Amino acid sequence: MRPSPLQLQHVIYEKVSVLPHSGGRHSKGKSAPQQAVRFDFEGVGIRANVGTAGREGQQEDPRDFLVNLEIIVDNKEGKPAPYDIDVGVVGVFNVLPSLPKERREDLVTVNGASILYGVIRELVLLLTSRFSAAPLTLPGMNFEDSAPSAQTQRSVKETPPSQMGRTSKIARKVSKQK
């Protein structure tokens, strides 16, 4: 076994909101929680905003990166999910020097977002385990479309502004402190 070329150094939560979705109503006007056990996510609108930033001064040999991931299930479109979810995290990552420079940003973006998604999935499962609608496990996600090389292949017209290298205020602050 050998170490991964991408190492997570730190995770920072920017926002956490997980609330039961109040789609249906009982006769007394209270929300009827939708059960989350074995929930089928087919047709649910899940948005993921991914941003990557390198450390200032490392343009020649980038080794330190911040990845910002925001997962939103707001139930405004598509099939309603049992919970309204809005979670944002920032991961501080380091790349081993053995990884070729031209592959670093793609690897950090795709794999970093995947690692952070695992952090968000666990948090959502933990928080929802105490709600009456039961624990919810978010579905697996693929972040290959978030890679900078994949984004340049798409036209700017197709790429929402929220997904074009967005980094949060806290991510920029951490980047300057490193």
Side-chain angles (χ1 to χ4, degrees):
M1 189 164 73
R2 58 192 172 116
S4 168
L6 180 64
Q7 295 294 316
L8 175 63
Q9 303 297 314
H10 189 62
V11 173
I12 301 162
Y13 289 94
E14 290 193 299
K15 62 182 174 176
V16 176
S17 177
V18 179
L19 300 168
H21 180 62
S22 56
R25 297 278 173 196
H26 281 298
S27 58
K28 295 182 181 180
K30 293 189 177 182
S31 296
Q34 183 178 2
Q35 289 300 305
V37 177
R38 294 188 209 120
F39 180 74
D40 178 11
F41 277 90
E42 184 71 34
V44 173
I46 301 175
R47 292 193 322 262
N49 296 321
V50 180
T52 305
R55 183 174 172 193
E56 290 179 23
Q58 289 188 354
Q59 289 78 8
E60 296 298 317
D61 187 20
R63 299 264 320 278
D64 300 309
F65 293 87
L66 295 171
V67 177
N68 187 43
L69 177 63
E70 180 182 30
I71 299 296
I72 301 166
V73 179
D74 59 15
N75 290 308
K76 290 180 180 174
E77 294 179 17
K79 175 180 159 186
Y83 296 95
D84 294 325
I85 299 167
D86 189 356
V87 180
V89 296
V90 174
V92 180
F93 290 90
N94 183 267
V95 177
L96 295 179
S98 58
L99 186 69
K101 293 175 193 175
E102 62 276 0
R103 292 189 47 216
R104 290 180 187 174
E105 192 173 7
D106 276 356
L107 181 119
V108 169
T109 302
V110 174
N111 292 349
S114 298
I115 291 168
L116 294 177
Y117 186 68
V119 169
I120 291 173
R121 281 182 84 191
E122 283 300 311
L123 178 68
V124 168
L125 178 61
L126 174 75
L127 293 174
T128 59
S129 69
R130 296 295 183 175
F131 280 104
S132 63
L136 178 73
T137 301
L138 291 171
M141 297 282 274
N142 183 329
F143 291 95
E144 287 178 319
D145 290 346
S146 299
S149 63
Q151 296 233 347
T152 57
Q153 292 173 4
R154 286 190 266 159
S155 70
V156 174
K157 194 160 109 182
E158 294 177 43
T159 307
S162 62
Q163 294 182 3
M164 295 180 69
R166 179 177 96 52
T167 57
S168 64
K169 287 185 234 175
I170 196 165
R172 288 190 293 272
K173 184 177 178 183
V174 170
S175 177
K176 290 177 183 176
Q177 289 176 354
K178 278 193 100 185

